Amino acid sequence: MVKKHLIIILILISAIQQIGAQSVGLVLSGGGAKGLAHIGVIRVLEENNIPIDYIAGTSIGAIVGGLYAAGYTTYEMEELFKSDDFYFWSTGKIQKEYRYYFKQPEADPSWLELRVAKKEDKIKLLPPTNFIPEEQMDFAFMELVASTNAACNYNFDSLMVPFFCVAADINSGKPAVLRKGDVGEALRASITIPFYFKPIEIDGRLLFDGGLINNFPHDIMKETYKPDLIIGHKVANDLEDADSDDVMQQISNLVMRPTNFEIAQEDGILIETKFENVGLLDFNKIESVLEAGMITAQKSLDSIKKRTTRRVIPEILLNKRGKFNAKKPGLFFQNIQVEGVTDPMQRKYIIQSIKHRFNIITLSTFKKEYFKLIADEHIKSIRPISRYNKETGYFDLHLKVEPEKKVEVNIGGNISTKPINQGFASFNYRTYKSRAYTLTSNIYFGRFYSSFKMGGRIDYPTKLPFYLSAYSTFNRWDFFSSSSELFFEDVRPPFIIQYENNHQIEAGFPLGLHRKFFVNTTYSNSSDEYYQTEIFNKEDEPDKTKFNAFISQVGIENNSLNYKQFATEGSHRFISGKYIFGEELNFPGTTIPNTTSTNIQHNYFLLKVHSTKYFQIGKKFTLGTTAEAVFSNKLLFQNYRSTLLAAPGFYPTPHSKSLFIGNFHSNNYLAGGLKTLIHFTPSLHLRIEGFAFIPIKEEILKTDNSAFQNDKAFENYYLQGMAAMVYQTGVGPVSFSVNYYEKENTKLYLTLNFGYILFNKRGL
């Protein structure tokens, strides 16, 4: 009770002192990750009781200043910028717990999406406008300051500390000074770096990073709030002359206009923190950057104290922050409005997907459903805007939805030092009429692999969503023989050519966030051309084996991996059962004495189980495990080579998928391995992987080139492994790898790849 009375007395004394007292405005510059030093400056000012009556900033300065004005302490800001949440929303990546697998399209080697739009009766290809997806950032700013908006009634002067930030109006080329409205949207606009993030529209103005026009708004601070003293903190580098080879500096000089960082002596003090080795997005260096800001403030503290005659008692600041934070309501949502969608059924589907049958939803519930919706290929983006409803006491949600363009073109492929280069292009058409329709086709072209696929999928937005799909796929693989050299390959005519076309109908529905149940039926027509000897002439005719089959399959698949190739977190598991009924046709070639064609009926069951999972061990290390098993009652084919070609194979690494290795094929097998990942940065890591393949009863070559099954179980095992340095560029992985396989002839392969080694699905 005595303490409470003491605080009240201190507040009264402080209020009397405020009458006619000196006011202080703090201005924070932009500068990317270097701006985290602003947190250190604020911390030192607070610890020395220096008042902050107004605060303003641009770009990262707007983020730090806005969060401080919203009632966040410097320690809360530090924890925020160190958190996994910040990493995800600053990079656009989706956390494992929000990756909705049911809506994910089949993995393909695309690098770039080009949208097709019709404008003024002209067809235009629209390249991506931003490198980093905006959905994470949009949601994060809504989550961070939605309650703050309610507490200040959307007036930035009513925040814990009056605040403004600066963005750049793209169309007028003038600064946009943001002082009212949604705090989160203002911060989002001020930090929207061109090409990295998508611009945001506020009040009819398209806005980018304020650093393009005014990276240090001390002049606007003086004009707007007229403080007695301005304290400015600069972390931005001055523009430098660009060399002819320095592309990044050239772009920076083109988009960043010169800014006046000089504060007149009579107006205030400028302090500056300089960095030599901190890049625009080096947010992982927060500890050293924040400490550098504190050192800067400490060095300038005597000068600041001489210019500031007023002090703020810590209890007063604590009480001020507590009173403001107490006005923040909890984040519960009731009414939902959807903008940007013309189809009433689609609008209804979006609302029902979020609310289901509940009247009030929590933030965590909304977050899960939000990321489910943005996984939908028919939705390009959703910008969530919350508005506090004083009458209900809950927040209303305004979802600004941008539907995906109806026509989309993807390009990609793989560039390699080995003869596995391939190009890729796909064409997608989407429409929505009470349900979502997607028509798609793609083409792979290359010396090793070529393919064409076409078909479509219908998604039904029922209480339990489900899909129906139908696709026809035509595949061809050319597996080359090679020399025993590590760095160079003697590419001769292909010794195995596999043709395969399949026509599939599938249905499925989600089982939670990462899992789906599916059932399909497929007609597959495959044709293998091969030699049963390693010695052959160009004039020789290869053996041919055709297998025409109907396949019925049922399965459950779980996938939460963060990358479609060289994943570093999440898991991928599936179990599937197949019944196959088909006919084998064998046509001998000229390299063996047998010239009799045969045909045999096959019908068998095949069960396959697979599990890949990654475990985080500290910040720098990840352990991965892979396990796989295949069980079937399949009979042997007419010869040894055709038996292995038709048998399931184990190919756990990208490069292994470009080879045919008989030692890793069997009708029944167990396989598994371990992966060790060492992370240097979030995008760069070293991975070392080792695997073992164990045929349960191995298929053995007889002297007449036929096969028989070993009576002894688990008699042999075969090893393979990979060591690779991998960098995820955002459009595709770059990898430098050494691959080992326990087999005849070449055992080691050294490869440099950019892109993906991925294929369309086979029928079997």
Side-chain angles (χ1 to χ4, degrees), residues 59 170 495 522 572 581 635 675:
S59 194
I170 296 172
F495 74 95
T522 305
H572 179 214
F581 174 78
L635 299 178
K675 312 175 187 184

Side-chain angles (χ1 to χ4, degrees), residues 209-247:
D209 192 308
L212 299 176
I213 292 178
N214 189 338
N215 206 23
F216 190 60
H218 64 95
D219 53 339
I220 303 174
M221 169 67 81
K222 180 180 179 180
E223 179 183 343
T224 302
Y225 292 126
K226 300 178 177 57
D228 298 308
L229 182 74
I230 295 175
I231 300 174
H233 183 219
K234 174 189 175 186
V235 295
N237 295 331
D238 295 324
L239 294 182
E240 301 175 358
D241 292 337
D243 296 330
S244 59
D245 296 329
D246 193 344
V247 177

Side-chain angles (χ1 to χ4, degrees), residues 116-126:
V116 180
K118 185 177 181 181
K119 292 186 178 181
E120 299 176 355
D121 296 326
K122 294 181 180 179
I123 302 297
K124 294 186 177 182
L125 275 178
L126 304 178

Side-chain angles (χ1 to χ4, degrees), residues 84 568-569 614-623 677-681:
D84 290 338
T568 59
E569 67 170 45
Y614 292 92
F615 303 88
Q616 193 75 30
I617 304 174
K619 290 186 177 181
K620 296 294 183 181
F621 296 95
T622 298
L623 179 68
L677 281 64
I678 303 171
H679 303 275
F680 301 103
T681 71

